[in-house]
Amino acid sequence: MLEMDEIQKRLLREVADLHKVPEGAYNIRANGESAGRVSTENIEIEPRESGDGLTIRIKPNTKNESVHIPVVMTKSGIKELVYNDFYVGENADVTIVAGCGIDNCGSQDSEHDGIHRFFIGKGANIRYVEKHYGSGSGSGKRILNPGTEVYMEADSSMEMEMVQIKGVDDTNRTTKAELAENAKLVIRERLMTHGDQNALSFYDVQLNGEGSSADLVSRSVARDNSYQKFDATLTGNAACSGHTECDAIIMDKGTILAVPALEANDVDAALVHEAAIGKIAGDQIIKLMTLGLTEAEAEEQIINGFLK
Amino acid sequence: MLELKNITFQVNDEGSDKEIIRDISLTIPDDKLVVITGPNGGGKSTLARLIAGIEKPTSGQILLDGEDITNLSITDRAKKGIGFAFQQPVRFKGIQVFDLIKLATGTNLSVGEACQFLSAVGLCARDYIDREVNSSLSGGELKRIEIATVLAKASRLSVFDEPEAGIDLWSFQNLIEVFQNMREQIHDSSILIISHQERILNIADEIVVLKDGKLEKQGSREEILPSLMGTASAVPECRKNFVAKEDAQEC
Ligand SMILES: Nc1ncnc2c1ncn2[C@@H]1O[C@H](COP(=O)(O)OP(=O)(O)O)[C@@H](O)[C@H]1O
Ligand SMILES: [Mg+2]
């Protein structure tokens, strides 16, 4: 059974919707150590020899199974770098839930840097969810730097949902993907920053195979004095289709820099980008006020909806 | 009952003052359906916005059931019982039709209850209840959802600004029925509709004609309607505002 305190359990609920031990394969990392690990017949989780991460192997044709690998940190002053490699067998169809919650009540910074690499076999389908959450009243920062690399073989698909709504002071996210024939990548990023937070997000998606496609949509809200940078490059190296969209709400004294970029190296590459940054529309607030909400309640509803 | 007393509304337009509403006094009694008509640009929407608190009058008073609400915010007026369906409804990314109806009622109503309001405006509830109130909705669909939110709010005074705009002819009959039903059930509350449509004027208890920011005429339907027939203030259906056929889904 897991040995975890209440704060760690709360973090787990925030980042992985886990109220109890998950079904299927899992590894829970708490304060730099494994607090529980289970492999299944089809999904094997092994610690790396160097102790700094996991190797996860999913057998071909594994269907409807899930892997949870949440990370929680509750000690101030920990800094860790872990590498998790996922080898997904052909035609597997699984859900992977990652995510990191940091509670920092101390004065030293806590930092988790996770490098996730996905090697996705032919015809496999992956749904990947990664949530970040920070809490704690200490002056030490909560820092998360996720690096994600995705290598997709022919006819595979991956849907990534990345969410960071609260409490993370500093993030620098890089996501790289390479897609072979007919591979399909869908990314949905939702981000809210407040206080003096910084969030950087870089994407580099290479559409190498004929018929490959990528759809990358970021919705974000920057409040207070926070800063966000969204920098996404789609490169089309074959007959492919790609779309990126950055849709951002700016409030207070927030700053948002959106840098969408497209590179087409094939005459049949069809690439589109959209970027929009603006404050909440006044008529949206007014409409909700005519239903009896206060201005603050109206803003909250609009933002909740936007980030839903 | 809503009373407007000597309401004037001025704006500063490119350096010069412009009077958009000029000394309007008007009572919307309980248990009545009042229709405001008049030429475009006459100040009808502005008057509705003044009632909802979106604009504040330059001078004059607004009373709801005898209480002076002139200085109350939009929110406080909504809580005291003013509902307002916009001429141009607002779109929201991510907020679903169900969310909006729930917010309108201010209760934790069930999906089934929310669906009744959609059915009332002729939309197939199960097709719309989960839809986002975003640009994927057509103008006519959005307009009906707007009306549904105001029905759901069940106000002391419900104001509808050109509810027929963007709604096709066939559905217009539905809409008339919606207002007729509302009229029958308004006990102790009132309805104010801004419209040029003869069919809507036909179900009014009272008609008000607004022109150049002034009250031109006001009285019972029997008194006022005959003089409007054939003018832009009472248009027979199919001439104005209608779209040929919208794509709203009915069950
Ligand atoms: N805030 C404003 N500033 C300047 N002009 C306005 C403002 N609000 C309304 N108007 C003008 O007042 C007139 C009345 O508008 P409106 O109330 O929308 O008329 P209606 O609904 O009867 O067509 C129009 O000429 C409009 O351009
Ligand atoms: Mg108008």
Side-chain angles (χ1 to χ4, degrees), chain B residues 1 11 48 52 71 82-83 86-87 100 107 128 130 191 241:
Chain B
M1 181 174 73
V11 292
N71 294 313
I82 291 181
F86 289 24
Q87 182 170 0
L100 218 50
T107 65
Y128 286 93
D130 290 337
I191 304 169
N241 266 332

Short mmCIF file of all heavy atoms in Angstrom, two decimals, chain B residues 1 11 48 52 71 82-83 86-87 100 107 128 130 191 241:
data_model
loop_
_atom_site.label_atom_id
_atom_site.label_comp_id
_atom_site.label_asym_id
_atom_site.label_seq_id
_atom_site.Cartn_x
_atom_site.Cartn_y
_atom_site.Cartn_z
N MET B 1 -43.88 46.33 -12.23
CA MET B 1 -44.13 47.54 -13.00
C MET B 1 -42.85 48.37 -13.11
O MET B 1 -42.14 48.57 -12.14
CB MET B 1 -45.21 48.38 -12.31
CG MET B 1 -45.53 49.64 -13.06
SD MET B 1 -46.92 50.54 -12.34
CE MET B 1 -46.22 51.22 -10.87
N VAL B 11 -24.83 61.34 -25.55
CA VAL B 11 -23.47 60.85 -25.69
C VAL B 11 -22.65 61.95 -26.34
O VAL B 11 -23.20 62.86 -26.98
CB VAL B 11 -23.37 59.57 -26.56
CG1 VAL B 11 -24.02 58.41 -25.88
CG2 VAL B 11 -23.95 59.81 -27.94
N ALA B 48 -33.61 50.09 -24.18
CA ALA B 48 -33.52 48.77 -23.53
C ALA B 48 -32.25 48.67 -22.69
O ALA B 48 -32.26 48.14 -21.57
CB ALA B 48 -33.55 47.66 -24.58
N ALA B 52 -31.81 47.98 -18.65
CA ALA B 52 -31.00 46.89 -18.09
C ALA B 52 -29.81 47.40 -17.28
O ALA B 52 -29.15 46.63 -16.59
CB ALA B 52 -30.51 45.97 -19.22
N ASN B 71 -29.55 54.09 -10.12
CA ASN B 71 -28.11 53.98 -9.89
C ASN B 71 -27.63 52.56 -9.61
O ASN B 71 -26.49 52.37 -9.22
CB ASN B 71 -27.70 54.91 -8.74
CG ASN B 71 -27.89 56.36 -9.15
OD1 ASN B 71 -27.49 56.75 -10.25
ND2 ASN B 71 -28.56 57.14 -8.31
N ILE B 82 -34.86 42.16 -13.68
CA ILE B 82 -34.90 42.61 -15.07
C ILE B 82 -34.13 41.61 -15.92
O ILE B 82 -33.00 41.25 -15.62
CB ILE B 82 -34.32 44.04 -15.20
CG1 ILE B 82 -35.29 45.01 -14.52
CG2 ILE B 82 -34.10 44.41 -16.67
CD1 ILE B 82 -34.89 46.45 -14.57
N GLY B 83 -34.79 41.14 -16.97
CA GLY B 83 -34.15 40.21 -17.91
C GLY B 83 -34.03 40.89 -19.26
O GLY B 83 -34.89 41.70 -19.63
N PHE B 86 -30.51 40.27 -25.82
CA PHE B 86 -29.81 41.22 -26.68
C PHE B 86 -30.29 41.14 -28.12
O PHE B 86 -30.66 40.07 -28.61
CB PHE B 86 -28.30 40.92 -26.69
CG PHE B 86 -27.56 41.24 -25.42
CD1 PHE B 86 -28.20 41.31 -24.20
CD2 PHE B 86 -26.19 41.49 -25.47
CE1 PHE B 86 -27.48 41.60 -23.03
CE2 PHE B 86 -25.47 41.78 -24.33
CZ PHE B 86 -26.11 41.84 -23.11
N GLN B 87 -30.22 42.29 -28.80
CA GLN B 87 -30.48 42.28 -30.24
C GLN B 87 -29.42 41.43 -30.94
O GLN B 87 -29.73 40.62 -31.80
CB GLN B 87 -30.44 43.72 -30.78
CG GLN B 87 -30.76 43.79 -32.27
CD GLN B 87 -30.98 45.21 -32.76
OE1 GLN B 87 -30.90 46.18 -32.01
NE2 GLN B 87 -31.27 45.34 -34.04
N LEU B 100 -25.20 28.31 -19.63
CA LEU B 100 -25.84 29.63 -19.71
C LEU B 100 -27.25 29.60 -19.12
O LEU B 100 -27.65 30.50 -18.38
CB LEU B 100 -25.88 30.04 -21.19
CG LEU B 100 -25.62 31.50 -21.53
CD1 LEU B 100 -24.38 32.04 -20.86
CD2 LEU B 100 -25.52 31.67 -23.04
N THR B 107 -30.00 28.58 -10.33
CA THR B 107 -30.18 27.38 -9.51
C THR B 107 -29.38 26.24 -10.11
O THR B 107 -28.79 26.38 -11.17
CB THR B 107 -31.66 26.92 -9.49
OG1 THR B 107 -32.00 26.52 -10.82
CG2 THR B 107 -32.58 28.02 -9.02
N TYR B 128 -28.74 20.55 -28.68
CA TYR B 128 -28.16 21.85 -28.35
C TYR B 128 -27.64 22.00 -26.94
O TYR B 128 -26.80 22.84 -26.67
CB TYR B 128 -29.19 22.97 -28.62
CG TYR B 128 -29.36 23.22 -30.09
CD1 TYR B 128 -30.36 22.59 -30.81
CD2 TYR B 128 -28.49 24.06 -30.77
CE1 TYR B 128 -30.51 22.78 -32.18
CE2 TYR B 128 -28.62 24.27 -32.13
CZ TYR B 128 -29.63 23.63 -32.84
OH TYR B 128 -29.74 23.84 -34.17
N ASP B 130 -25.58 20.57 -25.04
CA ASP B 130 -24.14 20.47 -24.81
C ASP B 130 -23.31 21.35 -25.75
O ASP B 130 -22.09 21.34 -25.68
CB ASP B 130 -23.67 19.02 -25.06
CG ASP B 130 -24.17 18.09 -23.98
OD1 ASP B 130 -24.47 18.58 -22.89
OD2 ASP B 130 -24.27 16.88 -24.25
N ILE B 191 -43.75 42.11 -19.97
CA ILE B 191 -42.87 41.79 -21.09
C ILE B 191 -42.76 43.02 -21.98
O ILE B 191 -43.77 43.67 -22.28
CB ILE B 191 -43.47 40.64 -21.94
CG1 ILE B 191 -43.74 39.42 -21.06
CG2 ILE B 191 -42.54 40.27 -23.09
CD1 ILE B 191 -44.57 38.35 -21.77
N ASN B 241 -35.99 41.54 -41.99
CA ASN B 241 -35.36 40.82 -40.90
C ASN B 241 -35.30 39.31 -41.06
O ASN B 241 -34.48 38.66 -40.45
CB ASN B 241 -36.07 41.08 -39.57
CG ASN B 241 -35.42 42.22 -38.83
OD1 ASN B 241 -34.23 42.45 -39.01
ND2 ASN B 241 -36.17 42.91 -38.03
#
